[in-house]
Amino acid sequence: MNSNRLLIGLGQLAAAVTLLGATALASAQTGDISQGAALFATHCAECHSMKEGKNKKGPSLFATFGAKAAQREGFAYSEALRNSQLVWNAETLSRYIANPKATVAGGKMKYEGLAAASERNDLIAYLAHPVQ
């Protein structure tokens, strides 16, 4: 009987994880991609590029959505970000973009954060589905 409860519990956990993933993707899709592109140009482009392999002061953000933080070759990430175990999804990106220093204490990003949730949603939509 206990093994049946364990299987049910694991099934419920798998369903919850799937739902959370779908919710994170849905959040990325609720923003306005073109507004996100404009926000990227204003807030991010000085330090980041959306071109694959083109690092600036910060790493390229090409195909960032869904990737584990600090794993790209060719960029010297902070130890704090390398150790963060973050995976960039709608929730983690929103938290990081809102306040990078609080999300990854000891990180190198010199950005104070984007306070407006609607703007973060737009920026995340662009990061998830960039327009060129």
Side-chain angles (χ1 to χ4, degrees), residues 40-128:
F40 183 88
T42 302
H43 292 270
C44 311
E46 180 180 332
C47 297
H48 296 281
S49 168
M50 288 299 288
K51 295 191 184 310
E52 185 173 15
K54 184 179 180 187
N55 298 323
K56 292 180 164 183
K57 294 176 196 173
S60 166
L61 298 182
F62 175 83
T64 295
F65 199 85
K68 188 174 178 188
Q71 298 299 306
R72 301 281 169 84
E73 295 293 324
F75 189 80
Y77 295 96
S78 68
E79 185 175 341
L81 189 59
R82 284 194 315 271
N83 293 333
S84 71
Q85 300 300 309
L86 290 173
V87 174
W88 298 124
N89 58 42
E91 187 272 327
T92 56
L93 281 166
S94 183
R95 196 172 66 226
Y96 187 73
I97 294 166
N99 192 338
K101 292 175 181 136
T103 304
V104 179
K108 297 191 304 187
M109 188 145 131
K110 297 191 182 342
Y111 180 68
E112 294 301 317
L114 187 59
S118 63
E119 290 182 336
R120 289 196 311 272
N121 286 341
D122 292 343
L123 182 55
I124 292 165
Y126 173 68
L127 292 171

